[in-house]
Amino acid sequence: LEEAESSFKQAIVLNPEDAEFHYNFGKVLQELNKLEEAESSFRQAIVLKSDFAEAFSSLGRLLYGKGEVDSALVYLGKAYEIDPSLRANELWLKVIEGRTLKAENKIVSDSIRKHSPKAGLKSNPLIINRAVETELIPALYEMNTRALDDTPDTRYGNGRCSDYQLFSDDRAIIKNVASDLIDTIELAVSSKVYVYDSFFNIYSSGAGITLHNHLSEVDQDEGLDLARQKYSLVYYLSVGDQNCSEPGILKLYDPEVEILPSDGMVVIFPAGRPHSAVYEGKVDRVMIGINFYSI
């Protein structure tokens, strides 16, 4: 980091009008905990490039860490206005807006609050059931997929999966499932939610996922502590063939729990809880996955 800091200083001397240099210099300074200097670099990047969404977002996140919530929301909102596709920025904006609203609502009387549901899962994991529409699975098979082995995550083997924006699909059946599952998870965690990932997996014999959790680098940023608000859901549309040595048991750890899924089963658990699964059945297993945040 110190070498990067020195290099960016030299780069800016050579080309002081380069907004990218100032922005990346700010990121390095932030890593070095030189927050005042980082803030100055982000602001200079914005001066040089007024539509620099990433710089607006980084400045907003830095200001939130300093306790300047209103200013943080302004800059995060500007970043979203410039580029709504910045998912991490949208996440920060939604969560901070949610926390601000909850803080404002603390004026609610103790008697009302006492009878209000507390946010968070009632059990870990939470297992419920939802009937699977007959047209849902055929609709998923019609959608674009990629091989599990081509994913940058811990999924592997003989199978396919979608991208992470399943709920953006315009098919009526997908919109209906998305709406219903969002209602379900909002009830499950007693909170409004922000769905970050939505996808489906099709496991054939030899597919699985190694031990992992669903926390990302963004979730572990100490400035927002998103990990405590993130949850994962798996919805089993068809469990396939369970008459085999590896019937696709969902193994949760810390503490260890084994779940043999059934058609229509919905399992919700904190995204930081490690889990794994191996499937060797001769019939495809089809499931929908969601990673979401309580807001």
Side-chain angles (χ1 to χ4, degrees):
L1 286 172
E2 287 78 7
E3 290 180 17
E5 179 185 17
S6 177
S7 294
F8 274 119
K9 282 181 179 178
Q10 295 177 55
I12 289 170
V13 168
L14 293 170
N15 192 348
E17 302 301 312
D18 192 308
E20 293 280 350
F21 285 169
H22 287 279
Y23 169 69
N24 287 310
F25 186 35
K27 299 293 283 185
V28 171
L29 291 167
Q30 193 171 20
E31 287 290 322
L32 290 167
N33 203 34
K34 298 181 178 181
L35 301 185
E36 296 301 325
E37 295 175 60
E39 179 180 341
S40 178
S41 290
F42 292 145
R43 291 188 184 278
Q44 184 60 25
I46 291 168
V47 168
L48 294 169
K49 185 179 178 184
S50 61
D51 62 346
F52 201 160
E54 291 86 349
F56 277 102
S57 180
S58 292
L59 179 56
R61 292 162 69 170
L62 186 151
L63 291 173
Y64 181 79
K66 293 174 61 178
E68 300 177 27
V69 179
D70 291 341
S71 295
L73 287 171
V74 169
Y75 285 101
L76 292 168
K78 181 63 176 178
Y80 182 76
E81 180 183 316
I82 296 169
D83 187 357
S85 69
L86 292 179
R87 301 295 312 289
N89 179 77
E90 184 181 18
L91 171 60
W92 274 71
L93 182 60
K94 293 288 187 183
V95 170
I96 294 174
E97 285 177 339
R99 289 184 182 179
T100 302
L101 183 60
K102 286 181 179 179
E104 292 172 351
N105 287 340
K106 283 187 177 180
I107 59 173
V108 177
S109 69
D110 288 339
S111 60
I112 294 176
R113 190 181 299 115
K114 191 179 297 183
H115 294 92
S116 298
K118 293 182 178 180
L121 290 175
K122 298 176 180 64
S123 63
N124 177 10
L126 177 64
I127 300 176
I128 53 180
N129 284 278
R130 179 189 183 276
V132 181
E133 296 89 341
T134 55
E135 66 270 32
L136 177 55
I137 295 176
L140 297 183
Y141 272 91
E142 293 174 358
M143 299 176 70
N144 292 331
T145 58
R146 56 179 172 171
L148 294 181
D149 285 336
D150 291 338
T151 61
D153 52 45
T154 61
R155 289 174 290 186
Y156 68 88
N158 186 20
R160 293 171 284 158
C161 60
S162 69
D163 63 18
Y164 290 106
Q165 297 299 310
L166 172 62
F167 289 174
S168 296
D169 191 89
D170 289 330
R171 291 172 176 81
I173 182 59
I174 302 300
K175 293 296 183 187
N176 179 67
V177 171
S179 176
D180 200 30
L181 286 177
I182 289 171
D183 287 345
T184 297
I185 58 183
E186 288 184 340
L187 284 172
V189 298
S190 301
S191 170
K192 288 293 184 181
V193 301
Y194 173 67
V195 174
Y196 195 77
D197 300 314
S198 54
F199 56 95
F200 68 87
N201 295 327
I202 299 174
Y203 283 5
S204 299
S205 182
I209 191 159
T210 59
L211 182 65
H212 71 295
N213 63 41
H214 288 161
L215 296 181
S216 66
E217 183 178 347
V218 172
D219 301 321
Q220 298 173 73
D221 186 311
E222 294 180 0
L224 200 57
D225 190 21
L226 287 169
R228 63 187 173 89
Q229 292 178 243
K230 190 175 187 182
Y231 301 88
S232 297
L233 173 150
V234 58
Y235 176 30
Y236 295 94
L237 309 183
S238 174
V239 297
D241 170 26
Q242 294 182 329
N243 186 25
C244 57
S245 59
E246 293 288 357
I249 292 172
L250 174 61
K251 296 182 179 180
L252 299 172
Y253 303 86
D254 301 331
E256 190 167 320
V257 175
E258 293 191 355
I259 301 169
L260 181 64
S262 58
D263 292 352
M265 178 182 287
V266 177
V267 184
I268 307 173
F269 51 93
R273 188 167 183 183
H275 55 285
S276 65
V278 181
Y279 180 64
E280 294 287 354
K282 297 179 181 179
V283 179
D284 284 352
R285 164 168 291 184
V286 185
M287 67 197 84
I288 286 176
I290 304 174
N291 292 315
F292 66 94
Y293 298 83
S294 62
I295 57 173

